[in-house]
Amino acid sequence: MGKIVISTNATLDGVVQDPDGQEGFELGGWFHQSAGGQDLQAWAVRETEEALGADALLLGRRSSEWFASRMSEGAEVRVSPEWADKMNSIPKYVVSSTLADQPWNNTVILNGDAAKEISELKRTVAGEILVYGSYQLIRTLITQNLADELRLVVFPAVLGKGTRLFDATTAEKPLRLVDTRKLGDGLLFHTYAFG
């Protein structure tokens, strides 16, 4: 049975919105503004190891389009060549009711009942199903008790406003701390199990 792993970056106050500043959020761009050098190198190593250990990606439409646009020939790769190779080759499942075409190679569009299709995906994929970005999808996964693990990198920034990872969750969700460690000099990496 597959294990759904949510992997995300957030500020100290939980904001996940517009980390690279490309979405137009007035406080966007906090990812590079609040970390650099050794911190980002340690982040990239962790990110690459995580991707290499995954068996599938599960994404929402906008996140799929964002990643696909950065994987095309000649695009700047911000993590590592190994990460980009894995992202391009791994099976991808995109939850969308509006996509007609597959935006990226090895992509299957899930356009029915999301909870039912993701439950079936967990039954058919034997390893880790990694979720990047996709905050609307993440809320569905959490609400429907489909998420198994949360990997959270906390950046040393406080924005005071913006979309937070746990905005609009419908009920209390107990989490159990599995691991915590420093990445570089300023980032914290926490792993939590749901349930």
Side-chain angles (χ1 to χ4, degrees), residues 65-115:
E65 290 170 347
W66 188 90
F67 279 108
S69 72
R70 281 145 181 88
M71 294 299 125
S72 62
E73 190 70 32
E76 183 180 337
V77 177
R78 298 195 185 276
V79 179
S80 71
E82 298 84 9
W83 179 84
D85 289 346
K86 180 69 173 197
M87 292 291 284
N88 278 318
S89 64
I90 194 169
K92 292 167 272 299
Y93 300 88
V94 177
V95 177
S96 174
S97 60
T98 59
L99 266 181
D101 296 327
Q102 298 174 353
W104 200 357
N105 62 317
N106 282 344
T107 299
V108 174
I109 299 170
L110 306 177
N111 60 4
D113 179 324

Side-chain angles (χ1 to χ4, degrees), residues 5-9 46-47 50 130-133 150-152:
V5 176
I6 297 167
S7 179
T8 197
N9 304 303
R46 188 211 69 81
E47 193 85 359
E50 177 178 72
L130 194 55
V131 182
Y132 285 142
L150 170 64
R151 295 177 187 159
L152 180 66

Side-chain angles (χ1 to χ4, degrees), residues 13-29:
D13 57 344
V15 175
V16 292
Q17 184 177 0
D18 200 7
D20 66 357
Q22 299 298 310
E23 298 171 27
F25 172 50
E26 65 186 289
L27 300 174

Side-chain angles (χ1 to χ4, degrees), residues 161-179:
K161 65 179 176 178
T163 303
R164 290 172 169 76
L165 181 62
F166 293 105
D167 281 352
T169 54
T170 59
E172 181 180 332
K173 298 294 176 187
L175 297 169
R176 181 177 46 83
L177 182 64
V178 174
D179 186 41

Side-chain angles (χ1 to χ4, degrees), residues 18 23-24 30 34 55 62-63 106 129 135 147 174 178 183:
D18 200 7
E23 298 171 27
W30 52 265
S34 62
D55 296 284
R62 287 190 309 204
S63 291
N106 282 344
I129 304 165
Y135 303 113
V178 174
L183 295 177

